[in-house]
Amino acid sequence: MGLAFLTPLFLAGLAALAVPVVIHLIRRHRGESLAFPSLMFLRELPVRSVRRRRLRDWPLLLVRLAALALIVLAFARPVLQGAEEEEAGGEGFREVVVVLDRSWTMRLGDRWERALEGVEGVLAGLVTPDRVSLVLYEGSGEVVVEPTLDSSGVRAVLDTLAPGWGPARIGAGLQAAAGVLEASDRERREVFLAGDLNRRSWEASSGDGLPRGARLDLLDLGDDRAGLAAPVDVSFQYQIVDGRQRAHPRARILALGELPGREVEVVLNLDGREVERQRVELAEEGAVPVEFTPFFVPVEGAQGSVSVELPGWSSPLPPWRFVLSPDELRRVVLVDPSTPGDDRGVYLRSALGLTGGVPIRVERRGGTALSVTDLEGVHLVVLNDVPLPGGAPGERLRERIEAGMGLIVIAGPRSDPAAWEAGWSAFLPGQVGAPVETRTERGGRLARIDGDHPVFAAFGGAGRAGLGDPRFFRYRSFEPDTAGAGGAVRIAARFDDGTPALVERRVGEGRVLVWMTSMDAVWSDLPLNPAFVPLVQEMASHAAPPSGLAPAYLVGQPLDPVFLRRRAGILDEAEGAPPALLVPPDGRGVTIPAGAGRLPPDLREPGHYTVRPEAQPGAAGWGFAVNVDMREADPSRMEASELAAGAGAGGAPATAGAVPVDGVEGSGARLEERERRQSGWLLLLLAAALLLAAEPLVANRFRGLAERFADSDVKV
Amino acid sequence: MSALNASDRIAAGPGSRLLDPLVLQRVGNLELVARGVVEGFLHGLHRSPFTGRSLDFAEHRPYTPGDDLRRVDWALLARTDRYFVKEFEAETNANFTVYLDCSTSMKFGSRGVTKLEYGKFLAASLVYLARRQGDRIGAVTFDDEVRDWIPCSARNLDLILLTLDRTEALRPGDLGPAFESLVTKPVKRGIVAVVSDLYGDPEVLAPILGRLRAAGSDIVVFHLLDRAELDLPWEGAITMEDLETGVTLPVTPEALREEYRERIERHVREMGLALAGVGAEHTLVDTSVPLDYALYRYLTLRQERRRTGRWASPS
């Protein structure tokens, strides 16, 4: 049987119990003042300071303190828990799962403190037979405290917790909670979820819903206006000038809560030195771009960061970090059959040559021939309106694709899909067919663009509208390979008649992009539109294997140990390959053994990471940066009812209509009802009144005794 | 229980009601107080041990008509067959001076009557009694130095009473320098009564009074102490303030009582011994007891000195 209080803050009034004692001691210490003829004898005597503080009339003091304590307890409205449940034979015992959002957005404002306060409210509402468990979720859900009857274990864990740096996946948390509930034999199964209910954290979630009949209480912590101003991303435009790599950094600064409209300073640091500082006004909506002065990347590379500074405001996020390496030029082989008299490939060649988000060195191969040696050390091959290579070059090309190389196929009028080798069928996203004429003279247009596809992600907002301007008069038909094994097919864009325009297939570590029309001004006017150059560059960036620049590693993102070891200069293929060491920002290295499969994600905090051979502590290794996933900063939130409906098993809501937005209220309401039935406060007040009534009797009795003793002392 | 209670305090005798300090305090007029005290005191003595001893034989002179026949020395007539009458010498050559301490420590009184008030009553009663005995009377008030000095005279009673009545305790006292200045005053040989609470070093005070004694005066010291000064009766934590110096001291009386009693008793005892050593009479007077005890001590002393012939001579 436990004791809870409906208004526990009143218990602070118990501190008032110390007041009479303190006053008593203070008054005793000072004592009454008495004039005396001479202290010449008293001053010679040692002072007894201990007895000075001794309390007299203990019974009287205790009576008064007890009365005060009872009054305070009455105001705190005590509730005896457990008695009713025991009488009910245990049928009402609950299985309570506390699901706590631990993503980085919980660092904003006082969300974490409010979450802990809410959880404490739930724990306080537990009765002794109730079981409670604790689930934390970021990118994944984890049961950190298994079901227990002792809520102190949960409290002990909570005391050691702090928000992490990863994204939130509500579904992962609910899935972990569902696992606990399904294993429970309790009839009353409840989930208390405390999080910021970010819509993205729900959309990115997957997993089964809660068991039918489960109750879901939500504590929405995202309804505040917690201020945030931070870089959403930092990108670089590269140029090769005099053989040196010149980077042009750009940052996008997002502001939330109370900060939009304020003026902040955006600081660019390189290798620990401040390079540039710009003052910008934060946008009311969206991110505000900031362009820094271009600079040459040092030969030895550089680590840098971009941070936002505002006087009187401290960012809950670390700076956005990046790593620059001049040796990360990506080689692109462009097979271009153009001739001086028919230079159709000039558009594509020029667009690739401009380079963009990645430093690219384009090597052109004339004609249609592509040798095996041409493919060594190449990151991307662009076949501009030529047939796919066959024979040994084709086989080597496929091997390289599986190993991570990219391939862009421009299926123009001379690409001749019918002549492609059968070996390519497993590498292509589908069957490329014959040319198709558009049904209108005005030509077809791009439509149904997948905005989440990396190629088109950069064409956000109004920029995506520019992709609808080009007119396409002819393109090839395409049948997606839905049954194709070994890779996922994704249609990134379609023409307005539904014919796929850009299709992707992942093969092994590589990608194959097929563009269903030409990149010249014959089948379309695309090259004459502003969207052409960025489209080509985005396609090249996406198709090429991930470079060592890795500007966009995010917390929680899985790492490929093979790739890491390769970057550290350790080849797995070698016999007895030594292990590599991944050194996160805190310096506590993690060994990457040779031959291991994928490691569990270990990017738990933002910062600069290094990979190097474990046996060579002095080796520079390969560095990369990890940042917080700023997509979590999306301010759009889910409605509680919406989430409850989605959390139900099989789409059915979990206890429809029983979803208080504030979970603490749900527990509190039961507690209040119980308190009302027990009326313990009334009994306590009556007891206090009785004590106060008896106080004069006690006072007279003990004071009378004291006076009698005093009199007898004088008479002696 | 204090040893002083048992050995040095005398219970009030019959008629003490009239001599109760609390009663006297309400009278207000010091002369009335003194008269009441002395008359009441003398009335209370059923058989005065001093009757007929107030006059000393001086000489014979021839009888002249008009002389009281009762004064004729019949024995001498029988031997010489001549009429002589006896001439008795009145004690008007005895000088009585009272020294009253009016330092601020005398302001203390735990039961309504301060030591200064009690001292005034006692001093007034003594001078009244002395004057009634025919002595010449004088008075001195002092704290750290002499404040008022009234030389001995047979006509100074009113002035003395007025002076005593107006005396207030205004300054802290220092008995050493005060006694030094007292003994340098041209005081005639006689009886000196010192009324003081004697907060000082006996080894310092006694020698000074000893010089007065050596000059031919008889000294009786009334050591005035309030009962609370003897018993320290309070309970609980209190802050005591020294009336002489203003120094405060937080104390717990019940914790210090026994040791304090020992020290005050030792002080009284040492003061008595030191004064006896120089031939002075030391009497502890509890201001809660009636005045007759002090008067009784004075008359006893006077009688003893007269009987032993040591009156007004150094011991």
Side-chain angles (χ1 to χ4, degrees):
Chain A
M1 184 180 300
L3 181 65
F5 294 94
L6 205 59
T7 52
L9 282 180
F10 272 104
L11 292 177
L14 287 174
L17 296 184
V19 173
V21 179
V22 170
I23 291 176
H24 179 82
L25 291 175
I26 289 175
R27 287 191 61 219
R28 282 180 61 84
H29 181 69
R30 288 178 181 170
E32 53 184 309
S33 183
L34 176 70
F36 200 66
S38 175
L39 302 179
M40 61 183 290
F41 302 119
L42 287 171
R43 295 179 69 176
E44 297 171 357
L45 301 177
V47 177
R48 269 77 164 176
S49 57
V50 175
R51 293 191 59 185
R52 187 181 299 163
R53 298 191 181 91
R54 195 178 63 186
L55 292 172
R56 292 182 303 175
D57 301 337
W58 272 106
L60 185 61
L61 178 66
L62 291 178
V63 167
R64 290 171 177 170
L65 292 182
L68 267 179
L70 289 174
I71 291 173
V72 171
L73 291 175
F75 273 88
R77 300 174 68 184
V79 187
L80 273 177
Q81 296 181 328
E84 296 168 20
E85 285 75 2
E86 287 171 6
E87 290 173 5
E91 290 181 359
F93 300 159
R94 296 181 293 160
E95 182 74 58
V96 178
V97 183
V98 174
V99 182
L100 183 58
D101 183 357
R102 203 192 172 195
S103 65
W104 70 264
T105 53
M106 295 295 285
R107 294 176 179 268
L108 302 182
D110 60 348
R111 292 180 185 179
W112 183 252
E113 288 75 16
R114 287 194 291 140
L116 294 184
E117 194 176 320
V119 173
E120 178 56 37
V122 172
L123 297 179
L126 296 174
V127 297
T128 304
D130 287 345
R131 272 202 306 248
V132 63
S133 51
L134 177 63
V135 170
L136 299 179
Y137 69 90
E138 290 182 69
S140 61
E142 181 184 6
V143 182
V144 292
V145 176
E146 295 291 340
T148 175
L149 295 173
D150 183 13
S151 60
S152 62
V154 178
R155 287 191 177 91
V157 172
L158 289 175
D159 287 343
T160 63
L161 284 180
W165 294 105
R169 300 291 177 263
I170 295 177
L174 289 177
Q175 191 173 7
V180 174
L181 294 183
E182 284 167 357
S184 172
D185 57 351
R186 301 289 171 94
E187 291 184 359
R188 297 175 58 188
R189 292 179 285 186
E190 300 177 6
V191 173
F192 173 78
L193 188 147
D196 56 11
L197 305 192
N198 185 308
R199 178 171 291 279
R200 175 169 180 80
S201 63
W202 174 254
E203 289 174 346
S205 302
S206 62
D208 299 333
L210 297 177
R212 187 171 298 276
R215 175 190 172 93
L216 176 64
D217 289 352
L218 297 174
L219 178 57
D220 185 2
L221 301 165
D223 56 351
D224 55 3
R225 284 181 51 80
L228 174 68
V232 179
D233 63 53
V234 177
S235 60
F236 294 87
Q237 293 291 323
Y238 294 96
Q239 285 181 309
I240 307 300
V241 178
D242 296 334
R244 298 177 62 191
Q245 184 176 329
R246 191 162 177 262
H248 185 185
R250 286 177 182 165
R252 291 194 304 138
I253 310 300
L254 178 71
L256 293 177
E258 57 194 5
L259 294 184
R262 303 276 296 273
E263 199 171 60
V264 298
E265 289 187 332
V266 184
V267 184
L268 172 67
N269 284 282
L270 275 181
D271 289 332
R273 289 183 301 106
E274 180 179 319
V275 174
E276 190 173 351
R277 177 181 291 261
Q278 289 197 29
R279 185 179 290 272
V280 297
E281 183 177 336
L282 297 172
E284 294 290 344
E285 287 186 1
V288 57
V290 180
E291 290 199 12
F292 294 98
T293 307
F295 58 88
F296 283 104
V297 178
V299 176
E300 66 278 10
Q303 291 184 343
S305 66
V306 174
S307 59
V308 177
E309 294 182 1
L310 176 64
W313 176 76
S314 175
S315 174
L317 294 182
W320 183 280
R321 294 184 174 86
F322 56 85
V323 173
L324 299 175
S325 299
D327 61 345
E328 293 300 334
L329 280 173
R330 276 186 281 182
R331 290 180 58 202
V332 176
V333 170
L334 171 62
V335 182
D336 182 6
S338 300
T339 62
D342 183 13
D343 194 6
R344 297 182 184 182
V346 64
Y347 302 105
L348 183 59
R349 194 165 63 246
S350 302
L352 284 173
L354 287 174
T355 73
V358 292
I360 294 178
R361 188 173 66 198
V362 181
E363 302 167 10
R364 182 186 173 204
R365 299 285 181 272
T368 59
L370 188 65
S371 66
V372 173
T373 55
D374 289 339
L375 300 176
E376 297 307 318
V378 172
H379 298 85
L380 174 66
V381 171
V382 180
L383 301 176
N384 186 15
D385 200 15
V386 294
L388 293 176
E395 189 174 345
R396 179 58 181 163
L397 181 57
R398 290 192 287 271
E399 290 174 2
R400 296 284 295 140
I401 290 172
E402 282 188 315
M405 200 183 77
L407 173 65
I408 296 177
V409 178
I410 308 297
R414 291 173 291 188
S415 56
D416 194 11
W420 295 352
E421 284 185 355
W424 281 106
S425 60
F427 286 78
L428 296 175
Q431 187 68 42
V432 180
V436 176
E437 296 284 343
T438 54
R439 285 170 286 186
T440 63
E441 292 182 354
R442 290 179 297 177
R445 298 181 187 274
L446 283 179
R448 299 170 62 182
I449 296 171
D450 183 358
D452 289 336
H453 194 277
V455 171
F456 297 105
F459 295 87
R464 193 172 299 169
L467 291 172
D469 293 339
R471 290 178 297 172
F472 300 89
F473 306 102
R474 181 174 292 184
Y475 40 79
R476 293 189 177 275
S477 61
F478 180 77
E479 283 297 324
D481 182 9
T482 54
V489 174
R490 186 173 181 182
I491 299 175
R494 293 177 184 269
F495 297 111
D496 51 5
D497 65 352
T499 303
L502 179 64
V503 190
E504 175 191 353
R505 179 165 195 167
R506 292 212 56 166
V507 182
E509 299 297 325
R511 287 189 177 90
V512 176
L513 293 180
V514 181
W515 180 250
M516 301 301 170
T517 183
S518 67
M519 285 281 187
D520 55 24
V522 178
W523 279 14
S524 73
D525 63 355
L526 173 65
L528 308 179
N529 278 269
F532 177 67
V533 173
L535 176 64
V536 169
Q537 291 185 347
E538 291 300 325
M539 288 173 64
S541 298
H542 178 60
S547 80
L549 289 173
Y553 275 123
L554 300 175
V555 174
Q557 187 171 339
L559 282 177
D560 180 359
V562 175
F563 173 74
L564 290 179
R565 292 170 56 79
R566 192 173 297 161
R567 291 304 314 174
I570 306 170
L571 297 178
D572 282 327
E573 293 83 358
E575 193 71 25
L581 191 69
L582 173 65
V583 184
D586 63 6
R588 290 177 295 187
V590 179
T591 300
I592 306 173
R598 286 183 178 275
L599 285 180
D602 201 22
L603 302 178
R604 292 191 176 276
E605 58 178 318
H608 286 115
Y609 286 65
T610 306
V611 183
R612 60 175 170 78
E614 190 174 35
Q616 301 175 32
W622 175 69
F624 62 97
V626 176
N627 292 294
V628 170
D629 188 352
M630 290 299 293
R631 290 175 295 183
E632 292 295 311
D634 184 354
S636 58
R637 296 169 46 243
M638 286 194 72
E639 294 298 326
S641 56
E642 188 181 357
L643 195 148
T655 313
V659 187
V661 174
D662 190 340
V664 181
E665 275 186 12
S667 309
R670 292 190 294 273
L671 206 61
E672 189 171 355
E673 183 184 354
R674 191 176 301 164
E675 189 270 344
R676 194 162 44 244
R677 285 201 305 271
Q678 294 178 356
S679 297
W681 64 272
L682 188 59
L683 297 175
L684 290 172
L685 279 185
L686 284 175
L690 284 176
L691 279 178
L692 290 176
E695 185 264 353
L697 297 176
V698 177
N700 291 334
R701 176 175 179 79
F702 284 93
R703 280 180 184 160
L705 278 176
E707 286 171 3
R708 281 200 293 280
F709 281 127
D711 287 346
S712 62
D713 191 36
V714 171
K715 285 175 184 173
V716 168
Chain B
M1 181 183 295
S2 170
L4 293 175
N5 294 338
S7 61
D8 294 348
R9 296 176 189 169
I10 297 176
S16 63
R17 175 74 180 164
L18 295 174
L19 307 179
D20 191 317
L22 289 173
V23 177
L24 296 175
Q25 188 188 32
R26 298 192 205 105
V27 175
N29 186 302
L30 197 58
E31 181 179 358
L32 287 177
V33 169
R35 182 184 298 171
V37 168
V38 173
E39 299 298 342
F41 168 68
L42 294 179
H43 178 73
L45 296 176
H46 298 294
R47 197 170 71 83
S48 172
F50 312 112
T51 302
R53 297 175 181 268
S54 60
L55 300 176
D56 290 338
F57 172 75
E59 61 183 356
H60 287 96
R61 68 173 174 80
Y63 171 78
T64 57
D67 286 338
D68 188 352
L69 289 178
R70 289 178 298 181
R71 295 177 62 186
V72 174
D73 189 342
W74 300 108
L76 190 59
L77 174 64
R79 290 201 301 272
T80 63
D81 200 20
R82 296 177 64 183
Y83 289 93
F84 290 93
V85 294
K86 288 181 179 177
E87 281 290 355
F88 290 89
E89 186 178 60
E91 292 178 341
T92 51
N93 61 344
N95 299 301
F96 176 79
T97 307
V98 63
Y99 291 1
L100 177 63
D101 182 356
C102 61
S103 63
T104 48
S105 65
M106 295 289 285
K107 284 198 296 188
F108 179 74
S110 64
R111 298 211 166 195
V113 180
T114 66
K115 290 191 288 182
L116 182 63
E117 289 172 331
Y118 193 95
K120 287 179 184 180
F121 299 158
L122 178 57
S125 301
L126 289 172
V127 295
Y128 190 88
L129 181 59
R131 184 71 200 105
R132 198 172 183 278
Q133 297 285 329
D135 297 338
R136 289 183 295 186
I137 53 175
V140 176
T141 62
F142 65 94
D143 39 46
D144 58 343
E145 59 184 15
V146 174
R147 295 297 165 195
D148 296 297
W149 177 49
I150 303 170
C152 288
S153 169
R155 297 183 297 276
N156 278 351
L157 178 61
D158 292 341
L159 178 61
I160 292 172
L161 294 178
L162 179 63
T163 302
L164 291 176
D165 196 23
R166 292 182 175 176
T167 297
E168 293 181 16
L170 301 176
R171 274 175 286 218
D174 188 350
L175 295 183
F179 282 10
E180 285 284 358
S181 60
L182 285 176
V183 299
T184 57
K185 296 288 182 187
V187 178
K188 293 179 181 179
R189 293 171 50 187
I191 306 172
V192 173
V194 179
V195 180
S196 170
D197 52 11
L198 293 178
Y199 279 110
D201 187 356
E203 299 302 322
V204 174
L205 301 181
I208 300 174
L209 292 178
R211 284 151 56 190
L212 198 62
R213 175 78 181 96
S217 294
D218 289 288
I219 301 171
V220 56
V221 178
F222 293 101
H223 192 166
L224 294 194
L225 289 177
D226 192 279
R227 172 176 282 187
E229 287 180 270
L230 297 167
D231 292 343
L232 207 64
W234 299 283
E235 299 285 345
I238 57 176
T239 300
M240 285 187 161
E241 179 182 0
D242 193 320
L243 283 170
E244 297 275 350
T245 63
V247 172
T248 59
L249 183 68
V251 296
T252 308
E254 60 265 38
L256 306 174
R257 186 171 295 128
E258 289 306 317
E259 289 178 87
Y260 173 81
R261 282 176 176 172
E262 289 177 9
R263 287 173 187 262
I264 191 76
E265 287 169 7
R266 187 165 66 227
H267 173 71
V268 171
R269 191 163 54 249
E270 289 175 352
M271 185 64 77
L273 291 173
L275 290 174
V278 298
E281 180 76 16
H282 172 260
T283 300
L284 175 65
V285 179
D286 181 345
T287 58
S288 63
V289 303
L291 284 160
D292 56 350
Y293 167 65
L295 297 178
Y296 182 83
R297 292 291 297 173
Y298 165 70
L299 289 178
T300 303
L301 171 69
R302 199 169 186 276
Q303 175 61 18
E304 286 177 354
R305 296 298 167 113
R306 178 178 296 278
R307 189 168 54 234
T308 58
R310 291 189 296 111
W311 186 257
S313 62
S315 59

